[in-house]
Amino acid sequence: MNLKKRILIAPLNWGLGHATRCIPIINALITHNYEPIIASDGNALSLLKKEFPDLKAITLPSYDITYPKKGQHFKLKLLQSSPKLMKAIKAEKKATNTIIEDYNIDGVISDNRLGVHNKNVPCVFMTHQLQVLSGSTTWLSTKLHQKIIQRFHECWVPDNLGDINLSGVLGHTNMHEMPIKYIGPLSRFKKETLDIKYDVMVLLSGPEPQRTLLEDKLLDAFKHFNGKVIFIRGIIENEQYISEDSHMTIYNFMISDALGKAINESDLVVCRSGYTSIMDLTKLSKKAFFIPTPGQFEQEYLAKRLTDLGYTASCTQDDFNIEKLNSISEYKGLNAMDYEVNYKKLFSLFESE
């Protein structure tokens, strides 16, 4: 009897995007007769445990990074947190070695978890950031990130290689020392032709306190909106809670099937310009209004790029008001990319002796 190979899959707990884009990877591993073992922490782990209640789930040390209330302090906050981050990465690497030994792991897929690798098994680093934007220090943050990526056997970039792509300069740069595979945009959702039920969906995620700050702002802004709103707060709790008034339905969270249906039923999605959200809304060919997390260079770049290309409207968190939504008609919306991931070929790394 052939035992299934066990693959450790470990997304970063920084918002929910890293966890949710691992969902199609986990499903593909199961389909191709592997046994995924999930490892993460916080909301990311809680979400994946709800999505895959039958899979083994292990808690990793937390990076425990929070955003400042003022976006211009983000880089300073990260710098101040770096000793704590390095300590967490060291603990994460030790935990990974123990997990690999205790569970006989045959391969590793790390989505931006810097310490989840081991020289004795094939290890993949999944990221859309071959370049890490950080303003005047972009050269340094990119060099440090690429040095970490080179400790893995392969790097998977969830984007297209050619000119028509989603990540722009983030995911397209020369890294000759590293075997990079462009695996196409990932999404857990399927496009469905459904009647439009909501004029606007608000879809929140991301680290605190910025998630709460945006939630408060948008709840206030949509109080007097003339249309039907579904509001997903992005808080993973033991039970789902729903509240309703005349025009707004508020959920603390939704799991994939329900959320995919709700997005398909929404005319417009207002959310952060996180890369996973962009992949999801592209897959579903939706109109979007992006509000990047203040001070997060990556989200600010992605929002501006898509606005400049004429796909989606965007503005800063401070500048948002309901009237901004009137500009949506000037943009063409996101369009699905015809890309099929060859998972059998992708997973061949784990078949090498």
Side-chain angles (χ1 to χ4, degrees), residues 157-328:
V157 180
D159 197 5
N160 293 333
L161 175 59
D163 293 336
I164 300 175
N165 63 72
L166 295 179
S167 63
V169 300
L170 297 176
H172 298 82
T173 187
N174 293 323
M175 278 187 68
H176 301 296
E177 311 87 352
M178 186 74 206
I180 297 171
K181 292 184 177 179
Y182 287 86
I183 65 175
L186 293 172
S187 177
R188 54 182 164 154
F189 300 129
K190 292 182 180 179
K191 185 178 179 180
E192 298 179 87
T193 303
L194 301 174
D195 292 337
I196 296 299
K197 189 174 176 182
Y198 306 103
D199 297 291
V200 176
M201 166 183 277
V202 174
L203 184 57
L204 298 182
S205 178
E208 297 292 0
Q210 290 297 337
R211 190 212 62 81
T212 295
L213 291 173
L214 183 58
E215 176 184 343
D216 292 344
K217 186 179 185 75
L218 294 182
L219 282 173
D220 185 64
F222 279 97
K223 274 181 184 176
H224 307 293
F225 177 70
N226 185 25
K228 198 164 180 61
V229 179
I230 181 169
F231 199 109
I232 315 297
R233 300 176 61 217
I235 298 177
I236 308 301
E237 296 175 310
N238 290 334
E239 296 182 29
Q240 185 184 66
Y241 297 102
I242 307 169
S243 61
E244 296 186 61
D245 64 20
S246 59
H247 74 289
M248 194 182 313
T249 306
I250 301 173
Y251 291 78
N252 51 347
F253 71 91
M254 279 185 173
I255 61 172
S256 292
D257 289 346
L259 182 57
K261 182 174 182 290
I263 297 174
N264 277 298
E265 292 175 335
S266 299
D267 186 49
L268 168 69
V269 179
V270 176
C271 64
R272 294 293 194 198
S273 49
Y275 188 65
T276 300
S277 295
I278 291 171
M279 289 194 292
D280 286 339
L281 298 180
T282 298
K283 176 73 174 288
L284 302 182
S285 299
K286 301 306 294 186
K287 291 185 293 181
F289 192 104
F290 289 126
I291 306 171
T293 301
Q296 189 169 333
F297 292 94
E298 170 213 357
Q299 289 194 11
E300 291 170 347
Y301 165 76
L302 289 170
K304 184 178 186 304
R305 178 175 185 264
L306 291 173
T307 296
D308 290 348
L309 289 171
Y311 290 111
T312 60
S314 63
C315 74
T316 66
Q317 186 164 303
D318 286 342
D319 287 344
F320 180 81
N321 55 54
I322 288 296
E323 287 70 32
K324 295 283 185 184
L325 300 184
N326 296 332
S327 66
I328 290 297

Side-chain angles (χ1 to χ4, degrees), residues 24-254:
I25 298 285
I26 294 170
N27 282 323
L29 285 168
I30 294 169
T31 299
H32 287 78
N33 207 35
Y34 293 93
E35 181 184 345
I37 292 180
I38 298 164
S40 190
D41 66 285
N43 277 344
L45 185 61
S46 297
L47 175 71
L48 291 177
K49 286 167 75 172
K50 289 181 183 294
E51 296 283 346
F52 300 100
D54 296 329
L55 294 184
K56 178 66 181 177
I58 302 169
T59 302
L60 288 174
S62 173
Y63 288 12
D64 197 26
I65 295 174
T66 58
Y67 276 63
K69 288 188 176 182
K70 294 187 180 296
Q72 66 265 33
H73 299 152
F74 177 56
K75 198 192 314 188
L76 176 62
K77 179 82 169 179
L78 276 184
L79 186 62
Q80 291 172 337
S81 300
S82 58
K84 182 172 66 174
L85 177 61
M86 295 306 297
K87 185 177 180 181
I89 293 170
K90 187 176 180 180
E92 178 180 70
K93 185 158 181 23
K94 184 177 179 181
T96 299
N97 292 336
T98 300
I99 293 167
I100 287 172
E101 185 174 340
D102 289 351
Y103 292 92
N104 297 314
I105 299 297
D106 298 290
V108 171
I109 302 171
S110 166
D111 187 329
N112 278 264
R113 293 201 79 115
L114 307 180
V116 181
H117 57 84
N118 181 289
K119 64 182 180 180
N120 297 320
V121 297
C123 294
V124 171
F125 191 78
M126 188 163 74
T127 185
H128 63 279
Q129 294 188 80
L130 301 178
Q131 294 195 69
V132 180
L133 303 185
S134 60
S136 60
T137 56
T138 290
W139 66 273
L140 178 60
S141 54
T142 295
K143 185 176 181 179
L144 292 172
H145 199 232
Q146 290 184 359
K147 187 175 180 180
I148 289 169
I149 293 173
Q150 288 165 10
R151 296 172 183 168
F152 292 75
H153 296 86
E154 286 185 0
C155 178
W156 294 352
V157 180
D159 197 5
N160 293 333
L161 175 59
D163 293 336
I164 300 175
N165 63 72
L166 295 179
S167 63
V169 300
L170 297 176
H172 298 82
T173 187
N174 293 323
M175 278 187 68
H176 301 296
E177 311 87 352
M178 186 74 206
I180 297 171
K181 292 184 177 179
Y182 287 86
I183 65 175
L186 293 172
S187 177
R188 54 182 164 154
F189 300 129
K190 292 182 180 179
K191 185 178 179 180
E192 298 179 87
T193 303
L194 301 174
D195 292 337
I196 296 299
K197 189 174 176 182
Y198 306 103
D199 297 291
V200 176
M201 166 183 277
V202 174
L203 184 57
L204 298 182
S205 178
E208 297 292 0
Q210 290 297 337
R211 190 212 62 81
T212 295
L213 291 173
L214 183 58
E215 176 184 343
D216 292 344
K217 186 179 185 75
L218 294 182
L219 282 173
D220 185 64
F222 279 97
K223 274 181 184 176
H224 307 293
F225 177 70
N226 185 25
K228 198 164 180 61
V229 179
I230 181 169
F231 199 109
I232 315 297
R233 300 176 61 217
I235 298 177
I236 308 301
E237 296 175 310
N238 290 334
E239 296 182 29
Q240 185 184 66
Y241 297 102
I242 307 169
S243 61
E244 296 186 61
D245 64 20
S246 59
H247 74 289
M248 194 182 313
T249 306
I250 301 173
Y251 291 78
N252 51 347
F253 71 91
M254 279 185 173

